[in-house]
């Protein structure tokens, strides 16, 4: 079986979030299960050819071989990849993103033909690659690619690639597709919608999100388009890389620890974290951490709303995040108000993030919606207990703690309100004071399996099903 991944992010070459993780890590896990994978990526100027062993194929195409059945081709353009960002700079999208991603979609299929890659499935990710199923239908009827099937994986419904209808001629497609049956949505071009309609299969990144995006509340306007497909929407939870997020082998943390050494390991790492961020070195207070984008989706406003009451208790907070300036300002105000209780940093610092995951007792994740979410899985891998709103991928991965049965691996709140969130924080404080309870919670968190291998198995089932249909 040969699968072509088409994406605009993939670790380790280019990443801003979960999309990059999936498109870099899932192909590796598939390749280990004897699936051949080719990844097609735009060639961004910041991708270091030397560092990654990328060699030219021709003037506009280069390649890196990752393993005998996994290679990456980088599609170059004189202008579209030659900038500092993937989507934009300083929070603004590039004005020519329609042209940039249209070019990538069209070029991706041409590249498969050029290289004579006979692929079984073209696996597209998010709106940036959602034109590919349409081009394949329209322009490759008599090509060796005609029998290839297409899958579109939606990583976040909130991003759809919406543009004024006047720009339709740039897509280089017949007028037929400029209709509500394909790309048009309320008099605008909507890339994601086109992909949902035209691809052979649509998947998303958790079972719960697959249910949620069929509703008005989470579907971001496309719920009826999703519902109009005859086949069911499939949800497959992402994994995390065990090589990267593993306290037993993590060189970025002060003291490595296994499941059996969790108490001693966390105590040592908490002390190191407190020393790093200049908070009082105390093990009798629980340390709550947030690592993530400082944006509305992540519920940063809810954390800020409860801060007065929360820090009125005997607790410490560490926040690491980049994002909206207004949240940054509000967090800064808390630093002045509660010295010795809260510390924050507004950079993207991967190494520090490792120490935070290892050193914290609880992880704050009040996301309003969460297609999958990696940070709750990462924190559990370090025995750090997630406190999360019951939504999307959180539901697939965090099982609420039942103190009597000693079951469950996290703390969930069911209503996105200040009251519910605060109650859950109070509960966390109580659990922290009970050594037996916190120990069993940590053990349960550490026992969870979030390997990419599991996800790869689920995707292979979808591929097989599609090929036998
Ligand atoms: P999303 O993709 O919506 O941003 P995820 O939870 O899926 O959220 O993934 C976020 C990833 O980015 C996690 O691995 C998290 O640790 C990391 N991360 C987010 N912000 C920072 C930061 N400021 N410094 C270091 N790592 C960060």
């Amino acid at each position: 079986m040969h699968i072509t991944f088409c994406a605009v992010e993939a670790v380790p070459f280019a990443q801003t979030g979960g999309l990059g993780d999936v498109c870099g890590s899932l192909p590796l896990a598939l390749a280990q299960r004897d699936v051949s994978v080719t990844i097609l990526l735009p060639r961004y100027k910041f991708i270091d050819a030397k560092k990654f062993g990328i060699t030219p194929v021709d003037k506009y195409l280069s390649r890196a071989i990752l393993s005998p059945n996994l290679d990456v081709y980088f599609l170059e353009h004189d202008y579209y990849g030659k900038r500092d960002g993937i989507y934009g700079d300083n929070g603004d999208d590039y004005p020519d993103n329609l042209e940039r991603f249209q070019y990538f979609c069209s070029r991706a299929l041409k590249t498969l033909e050029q290289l004579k890659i006979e692929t079984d499935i073209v696996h597209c990710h998010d709106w940036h690659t959602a034109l590919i199923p349409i081009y394949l239908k329209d322009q490759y009827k008599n090509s060796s690619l005609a029998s290839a099937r297409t899958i579109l994986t939606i990583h976040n419904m909130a991003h759809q690639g919406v543009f004024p209808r006047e720009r339709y001629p740039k897509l280089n497609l017949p007028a037929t597709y400029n209709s509500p049956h394909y790309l048009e949505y309320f008099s605008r071009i909507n890339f994601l919608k086109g992909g949902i309609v035209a691809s052979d299969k649509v998947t998303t990144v958790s079972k719960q999100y697959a249910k949620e995006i069929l509703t008005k509340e989470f579907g971001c306007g496309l719920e009826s388009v999703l519902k109009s497909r005859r086949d069911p929407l499939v949800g497959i939870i992402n994994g995390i890389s065990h090589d990267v997020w593993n306290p037993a082998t993590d060189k970025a943390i002060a003291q490595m620890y296994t499941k059996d050494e969790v108490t001693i390991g966390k105590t040592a790492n908490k002390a190191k974290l407190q020393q790093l961020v200049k908070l009082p070195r105390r093990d009798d207070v629980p340390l709550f951490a947030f690592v993530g984008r400082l944006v509305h989706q992540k519920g940063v406003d809810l954390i800020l709303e409860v801060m007065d009451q929360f820090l009125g208790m005997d607790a410490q907070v560490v926040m690491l995040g980049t994002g909206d300036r207004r949240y940054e300002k509000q967090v800064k105000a808390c630093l002045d108000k509660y010295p010795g209780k809260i510390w924050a940093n507004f950079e993207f610092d991967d190494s520090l993030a490792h120490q935070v995951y290892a050193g914290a007792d609880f992880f704050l994740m009040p996301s309003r919606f969460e297609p999958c979410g990696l940070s709750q899985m990462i924190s559990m891998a370090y025995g750090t207990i997630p406190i999360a709103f019951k939504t999307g991928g959180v539901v697939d991965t965090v099982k609420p703690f039942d103190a009597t049965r000693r079951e469950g691996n996290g703390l969930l709140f069911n209503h996105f309100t200040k009251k519910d969130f605060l109650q859950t924080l109070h509960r966390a404080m109580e659990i922290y004071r009970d050594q037996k309870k916190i120990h069993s919670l940590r053990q349960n968190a550490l026992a969870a399996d979030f390997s990419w291998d599991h996800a790869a198995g689920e995707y292979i089932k979808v591929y097989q099903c599609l090929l036998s249909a």
Side-chain angles (χ1 to χ4, degrees), residues 9 15-21 155-156 238 240 245 290-295 297-298 319-323 345-354 357 363 365 367 369-378:
E9 293 188 28
Q15 187 193 18
T16 66
L19 171 66
D21 262 310
H155 297 259
N156 194 332
N238 294 335
I240 53 171
W245 302 110
F290 172 91
V291 180
R293 292 179 292 125
L294 295 175
V295 295
Q297 178 195 337
K298 301 288 174 186
M319 293 183 79
L320 174 62
T322 56
N345 178 294
F346 306 106
E347 281 162 22
F348 194 98
D349 186 337
D350 184 56
S351 165
L352 180 58
H354 282 249
Y357 283 116
F363 189 83
M365 193 172 179
S367 302
F369 68 94
E370 198 56 83
C372 172
L374 296 176
S375 32
Q376 82 280 22
M377 293 191 259
I378 297 172

Side-chain angles (χ1 to χ4, degrees), residues 8 30 37 40 45 48 100 118 133-134 147 152 164 200 258 271 273 275 287 292 299 306 357 396 463-465:
V8 300
L30 288 167
V37 186
L40 302 181
K45 77 165 189 193
D48 185 340
R100 292 175 72 228
E118 288 190 11
I134 299 181
S147 61
L152 174 68
D200 296 312
T258 61
L273 179 61
Q275 182 202 341
L287 194 153
V306 301
Y357 283 116
D396 284 31
Y463 298 150
Q464 282 168 340
C465 194

